Amino acid sequence: GAVVSQHPSRVICKSGTSVKIECRSLDFQATTMFWYRQFPKQSLMLMATSNEGSKATYEQGVEKDKFLINHASLTLSTLTVTSAHPEDSSFYICSARGGTEGYTFGSGTRLTVV
Amino acid sequence: AQSVTQLGSHVSVSEGALVLLRCNYSSSVPPYLFWYVQYPNQGLQLLLKYTTGATLVKGINGFEAEFKKSETSFHLTKPSAHMSDAAEYFCAVSPLTGGGNKLTFGTGTQLKVEL
């Protein structure tokens, strides 16, 4: 079946630094990838939709300059949290559209900003 | 526009008992419907999905769901709960066409299985 690899699974960074999260589709081409943020005990909040070779589309209220998304190839999308602050601490999940399941999710990244 | 309502943020059942997790949706176009399971600090795993055809959909781990258009529902059931079923469950909808193919999630239901 379709597999999406997301790295790192956990990261701790200092306030003010940037963190990059990678999302790779391993056995299929993903023209569209989605980035979600999940707060404890809550549902997934869509942050942005990235399409290969074009600019990401951000949801209302999501700062595009803080959450930089790059989708340079059909198998890789990255989310960079710039100048991270403690309030950016969260669980981030990517999803790729494609494969037999329709949408395949990565295993998530727990970001802690200290 | 589309939305998903999951009734009951927490459901508790005894091991061996029936599991019923409720999901109602609202969609202006024919929808695709999904159920996902999430274990702590992990991504989402697809349990089952409805696209077209047979309205009773069977998924992994003994789960199934029935699409009822007249009731705009897609409830998830399992005849006999197992301890390993304890997790967070999300119902989701996406438009059959258009809408950017975005998934809209319900707020989730935490399933607890007791001995």
Side-chain angles (χ1 to χ4, degrees):
Chain A
V3 177
V4 170
S5 175
Q6 184 173 344
H7 290 283
S9 57
R10 290 177 177 271
V11 59
I12 300 173
C13 70
K14 291 185 177 181
S15 187
T17 62
S18 295
V19 173
K20 180 185 284 189
I21 302 170
E22 291 190 349
C23 182
R24 293 181 185 272
S25 57
L26 297 186
D27 47 5
F28 66 99
Q29 294 183 332
T31 55
T32 303
M33 287 189 175
F34 304 91
W35 287 95
Y36 297 86
R37 181 173 182 175
Q38 186 178 30
F39 293 100
K41 308 294 185 184
Q42 293 189 28
S43 188
L44 282 72
M45 181 191 77
L46 180 64
M47 299 173 66
T49 302
S50 74
N51 292 294
E52 186 265 337
S54 63
K55 290 184 179 181
T57 302
Y58 291 81
E59 296 299 302
Q60 191 173 8
V62 178
E63 300 176 62
K64 60 181 66 177
D65 294 331
K66 165 165 277 294
F67 299 102
L68 298 179
I69 291 172
N70 183 278
H71 194 162
S73 78
L74 286 172
T75 58
L76 174 64
S77 177
T78 61
L79 168 67
T80 301
V81 183
T82 63
S83 187
H85 288 91
E87 57 265 31
D88 298 324
S89 298
S90 192
F91 193 60
Y92 294 88
I93 305 175
C94 69
S95 171
R97 179 159 176 80
T100 56
E101 296 186 352
Y103 301 86
T104 305
F105 288 80
S107 54
T109 298
R110 173 71 60 192
L111 170 63
T112 304
V113 184
V114 298
Chain B
Q2 53 192 22
S3 65
V4 178
T5 302
Q6 289 184 242
L7 289 176
S9 58
H10 293 82
V11 170
S12 184
V13 299
S14 299
E15 190 175 33
L18 171 71
V19 175
L20 171 60
L21 304 183
R22 299 179 185 275
C23 173
N24 288 88
Y25 70 92
S26 172
S27 178
S28 57
V29 297
Y32 287 154
L33 294 159
F34 305 80
W35 273 101
Y36 291 93
V37 61
Q38 184 182 34
Y39 296 97
N41 292 308
Q42 294 188 28
L44 274 65
Q45 180 183 12
L46 179 69
L47 284 175
L48 48 80
K49 65 179 179 181
Y50 169 79
T51 54
T52 59
T55 57
L56 181 62
V57 181
K58 294 186 183 298
I60 61 171
N61 302 338
F63 286 94
E64 62 181 39
E66 186 172 11
F67 170 57
K68 291 187 176 181
K69 185 178 179 180
S70 61
E71 298 178 8
T72 60
S73 69
F74 192 56
H75 302 328
L76 181 71
T77 60
K78 181 174 180 177
S80 177
H82 191 271
M83 296 297 289
S84 60
D85 294 327
E88 186 84 20
Y89 291 80
F90 292 98
C91 181
V93 61
S94 76
L96 193 60
T97 58
N101 298 315
K102 297 179 187 178
L103 272 175
T104 300
F105 286 91
T107 51
T109 298
Q110 182 71 45
L111 176 64
K112 182 178 180 181
V113 182
E114 300 175 317
L115 287 172

